[in-house]
Amino acid sequence: MISFAFGKARAARLDAEGRAAAQNRTLWGDALRRLRKNRLAVVAFFWIVMMVLVALTGRMWVPIIFGDVMYPDSTIAATMSRLPPSWQHPFGTDSLGLDVMGRIAYGAQMSLSIGVIATMISTTIGLLLGSLSGYFGGLFDAVIMRITDMFMAVPYTLFTIALLAVLGPGWVNIFMAIGLLGWTSICRVVRSAFLQVKENDYVSAARALGASDFRIILRHILPNSIASVVVYSTMSIGTAILSESALSFLGLGIQPPEPSWGLMISEGQTWLASAPWLVICPGAAILTTVLAFTLLGDGLRDALDVKGN
Amino acid sequence: MQFVPVFIGVTLLLFAMRAIVPGDPIRMIAGEKSIPETTYRIIVERNHLDQPIYIQYGYYMGDLFHGDFGHSYQKGRDVIEIFADKFPSTASLALGAILIEIVVGISAGVISAVKKYSFIDMLLTLSTSILVSMPVFWLGMLLQSIFGIWLKNLTGGAISLPISGSGGPISAYPTFLHYILPSVTLASVSLAFTARIMRSQLLEVLSQDYIRTAYAKGLSKRDVILKHALKNAMIPVITFIGIDFGTMMSGAILTESVFSWPGVGREIYLAIIQRDWPIVMGGVVIIVIIVMTINLLIDISYALFDPRIRYGSKKAD
């Protein structure tokens, strides 16, 4: 009797544990648990959160701490020009006497917004065309694949430069150019995920039950292939930030006096020998931010068990 | 062969861009000065600029098939001649970079796969992540300031490397030294990707049954990896390196900008800025031809690494 009661209590406990575990046993629950164990990915995540906060709130507090970082005060510019890093100016000052750290904080807004919006554009286009192409195949697929071939035959940088030369520089045009030209790789990722998932029995079952193409894509295939999209988009935010910095470096991106990390590097190039912090600091901002997106993407890939290249 | 649709697509896209780009290229050549009406008419007629865009496209394609890549608006030279000038420096830079990529990338990938999850594997994996997250032009400048300025001052000029593509007619350095920093910069991102692909491919191959068989036969680890595993893990790596070589041959705008390297990429970039469309068109056409040819060579090279892949009249199963 006692042993029975004990057994019952144990069974109830096991049952509760089982149910609690079952509640977490979704793909995303599992992934989150695994991601939390990846220390690099966690650090990367918090770095990104910090950068996003700086980008969102920077315009409010940067001028109070570092003074005006866009328009120099000409009366003191000469004495403030290219001061090495100090307590007052942790990253030094640039040739106009503006605080480099403050300008980097301003630039975070440019880089992150362009990275995120460009990725949203390229992911939307890639997801749409990739899923249709993978699901329907045939002529549509052939045409889309030839278009992606075309984009791959010409270096990406060259295409963005040409498109920006047509559109002209500016914030909107940069994320348009990066987003409109960056969809081909995500399109291929989605297409191959669709080709794999399409063969599963549950898709045939759904079709046998009379589900429409639209419903099969949206309810059955997409949820099972979205993991690779999430991984790829995370990394592609970093890539978009790199593209923006390259375009701004070449003078086609963000225009002065608005600070952008790439533009700051190109402005600092002249003083590379005498004031290396003008190049090193904005570059380090790009490196750490892009690295954070790369590491988070890597972590997500391991956590979601997506097969990468 | 996918060549024809890609080729037509790229040229059409460029023509469409040219049609909507603001600014009259001929007036831009003249700059501030006004241009005599008769001269203007001559240039317009010579380039068929008064015709509708699809007729211009027809003329352009016709000329291309005769080997005529057009004539620069601003430089007064044939496009093909301009690229013949620039191509050797781009090709030699690409060769240097691809060598670094093959040697360093593949060995790093093999080492991290063999010593999976060891300290050195984690170090290499993190380094590849750092390399792919770095702006190429920034890396170039860091190398310039380390080797061209900092070490030079520190050692009184004993250890230093040239920081630009050419040292003028009288360079203080032997020619090959000029290649080191630009090729390292150009190779950086690609070698990181090569190492990553090599690692994951090799790990996958090493978990196969025939590798266990090879070990069971009593082969040493070295033999198993070099003779059995590596060959089978090579195909994706070769694909990547090949595509990358195509990209490098078509010029590296950023690396060339940082090191003032007189290459194809910079030429096309400047032509885009100056709206010198014949150079842009010709350059992109040449790039597409190079990239496509290299892709074909990659496809053929698969047969060397995997005897199951065979080309020719006999149908492979």
Side-chain angles (χ1 to χ4, degrees):
Chain A
M1 191 63 196
I2 291 169
S3 71
F4 173 70
F6 176 72
K8 208 173 167 186
R10 190 161 167 250
R13 205 182 68 227
L14 281 178
D15 188 42
E17 268 175 17
R19 223 179 298 145
Q23 274 170 0
N24 275 334
R25 287 278 146 188
T26 61
L27 172 71
W28 300 100
D30 272 355
L32 193 64
R33 199 147 1 99
R34 261 175 274 163
L35 191 64
R36 255 184 275 164
K37 283 192 195 130
N38 184 339
R39 250 175 291 162
L40 272 180
V42 172
V43 174
F45 177 75
F46 281 109
W47 184 256
I48 292 170
V49 169
M50 201 192 83
M51 276 299 178
V52 170
L53 285 179
V54 169
L56 288 177
T57 63
R59 308 248 154 178
M60 288 186 256
W61 51 264
V62 165
I64 302 171
I65 301 176
F66 300 109
D68 197 330
V69 295
M70 270 172 64
Y71 302 99
D73 179 352
S74 55
T75 52
I76 54 164
T79 54
M80 296 286 288
S81 180
R82 294 193 296 286
L83 296 177
S86 62
W87 282 112
Q88 213 182 346
H89 302 285
F91 292 169
T93 60
D94 71 3
S95 54
L96 295 173
L98 304 172
D99 184 274
V100 173
M101 195 185 220
R103 281 177 69 79
I104 288 176
Y106 262 45
Q109 195 179 35
M110 287 294 141
S111 295
L112 284 176
S113 61
I114 287 172
V116 171
I117 300 175
T119 302
M120 274 161 55
I121 296 174
S122 60
T123 307
T124 312
I125 303 176
L127 201 59
L128 195 71
L129 295 180
S131 51
L132 294 178
S133 172
Y135 185 78
F136 291 110
L139 183 67
F140 184 76
D141 181 39
V143 171
I144 296 292
M145 284 304 107
R146 285 299 79 77
I147 295 179
T148 59
D149 281 343
M150 200 176 93
F151 278 95
M152 284 172 180
V154 179
Y156 177 69
T157 329
L158 203 66
F159 248 142
T160 41
I161 289 174
L163 191 57
L164 268 184
V166 173
L167 296 173
W171 185 68
V172 175
N173 292 347
I174 300 168
F175 63 67
M176 289 303 273
I178 299 174
L180 288 178
L181 295 174
W183 58 272
T184 48
S185 20
I186 203 148
C187 174
R188 295 207 154 194
V189 169
V190 174
R191 174 178 175 267
S192 64
F194 260 62
L195 287 178
Q196 252 171 35
V197 176
K198 192 166 84 166
E199 302 303 322
N200 283 325
D201 287 339
Y202 57 79
V203 175
S204 317
R207 192 169 295 128
L209 284 170
S212 65
D213 286 337
F214 185 66
R215 189 183 164 84
I216 292 176
I217 291 179
L218 227 54
R219 297 296 299 269
H220 297 279
I221 305 184
L222 198 58
N224 288 298
S225 42
I226 202 79
S228 48
V229 177
V230 170
V231 172
Y232 198 86
S233 315
T234 310
M235 293 187 170
S236 107
I237 296 178
T239 322
I241 293 177
L242 277 182
S243 303
E244 183 274 324
S245 72
L247 290 170
S248 297
F249 170 72
L250 290 172
L252 292 163
I254 302 289
Q255 299 296 309
E258 196 67 55
S260 138
W261 295 341
L263 186 63
M264 289 172 73
I265 294 180
S266 119
E267 287 167 350
Q269 193 178 11
T270 327
W271 318 103
L272 190 59
S274 56
W277 58 89
L278 293 182
V279 166
I280 293 174
C281 296
I286 301 176
L287 170 64
T288 49
T289 310
V290 178
L291 184 63
F293 281 106
T294 313
L295 291 176
L296 186 64
D298 272 347
L300 279 173
R301 183 175 60 208
D302 294 343
L304 289 164
D305 202 19
V306 175
K307 250 188 93 181
N309 52 22
Chain B
M1 192 65 199
Q2 31 152 291
F3 179 79
V4 177
V6 170
F7 189 76
I8 293 176
V10 170
T11 43
L12 270 179
L13 197 70
L14 281 170
F15 254 81
M17 278 185 177
R18 198 190 82 176
I20 50 178
V21 77
D24 182 342
I26 303 172
R27 304 260 183 231
M28 277 188 76
I29 312 173
E32 303 280 290
K33 297 173 201 142
S34 68
I35 189 167
E37 203 49 38
T38 42
T39 323
Y40 187 82
R41 292 298 318 159
I42 291 169
I43 301 177
V44 162
E45 263 164 43
R46 194 174 65 200
N47 293 294
H48 312 294
L49 291 178
D50 47 351
Q51 307 281 344
I53 193 85
Y54 53 90
I55 306 251
Q56 289 183 36
Y57 185 71
Y59 273 117
Y60 187 76
M61 290 310 256
D63 285 346
L64 265 190
F65 281 110
H66 293 103
D68 180 1
F69 281 73
H71 197 78
S72 161
Y73 289 155
Q74 306 194 9
K75 304 202 168 178
R77 295 174 72 195
D78 279 342
V79 169
I80 197 81
E81 209 180 289
I82 293 172
F83 282 105
D85 261 9
K86 301 284 175 185
F87 194 70
S89 46
T90 289
S92 50
L93 182 61
L95 273 176
I98 213 80
L99 274 180
I100 298 175
E101 180 181 341
I102 291 173
V103 174
V104 181
I106 291 184
S107 15
V110 170
I111 292 172
S112 22
V114 172
K115 310 232 182 241
K116 190 171 115 176
Y117 301 138
S118 67
F119 176 70
I120 186 138
D121 174 31
M122 297 221 264
L123 196 70
L124 284 174
T125 310
L126 190 63
S127 323
T128 57
S129 299
I130 291 177
L131 276 182
V132 300
S133 308
M134 213 180 252
V136 179
F137 51 93
W138 186 63
L139 177 66
M141 286 183 212
L142 284 191
L143 291 176
Q144 283 179 333
S145 52
I146 292 171
F147 290 99
I149 299 164
W150 186 69
L151 269 179
K152 191 177 181 181
N153 293 342
L154 203 68
T155 58
I159 303 175
S160 69
L161 287 170
I163 56 169
S164 69
S166 63
I170 310 154
S171 170
Y173 301 94
T175 318
F176 77 96
L177 280 182
H178 284 284
Y179 285 89
I180 295 180
L181 295 185
S183 6
V184 169
T185 308
L186 185 56
S188 62
V189 176
S190 324
L191 81 84
F193 277 117
T194 310
R196 287 180 152 218
I197 298 170
M198 188 73 241
R199 177 181 183 271
S200 65
Q201 286 302 316
L202 196 55
L203 281 180
E204 199 170 313
V205 170
L206 284 176
S207 66
Q208 302 282 323
D209 284 342
Y210 61 81
I211 296 296
R212 204 177 326 137
T213 313
Y215 276 121
K217 259 187 348 190
L219 289 183
S220 67
K221 194 170 184 181
R222 190 193 154 86
D223 277 354
V224 171
I225 288 167
L226 289 183
K227 291 190 183 152
H228 291 254
L230 206 53
K231 213 170 168 187
N232 286 299
M234 252 355 229
I235 283 197
V237 180
I238 292 178
T239 311
F240 177 77
I241 293 180
I243 291 175
D244 202 51
F245 188 55
T247 315
M248 285 178 179
M249 290 294 258
S250 48
I253 298 172
L254 295 169
T255 309
E256 286 171 9
S257 293
V258 174
F259 290 97
S260 338
W261 195 268
V264 171
R266 197 162 166 70
E267 187 65 36
I268 299 178
Y269 162 66
L270 290 175
I272 292 176
I273 304 291
Q274 294 162 351
R275 311 263 188 274
D276 200 338
W277 284 99
I279 297 189
V280 180
M281 293 289 303
V284 172
V285 167
I286 293 171
I287 287 176
V288 172
I289 294 173
I290 292 174
V291 170
M292 290 286 181
T293 316
I294 290 177
N295 285 355
L296 184 69
L297 291 178
I298 301 168
D299 278 349
I300 295 171
S301 77
Y302 289 157
L304 293 178
F305 281 85
D306 192 343
R308 280 170 302 180
I309 301 172
R310 220 175 270 147
Y311 300 101
S313 52
K314 273 186 203 165
K315 240 188 171 175
D317 51 357

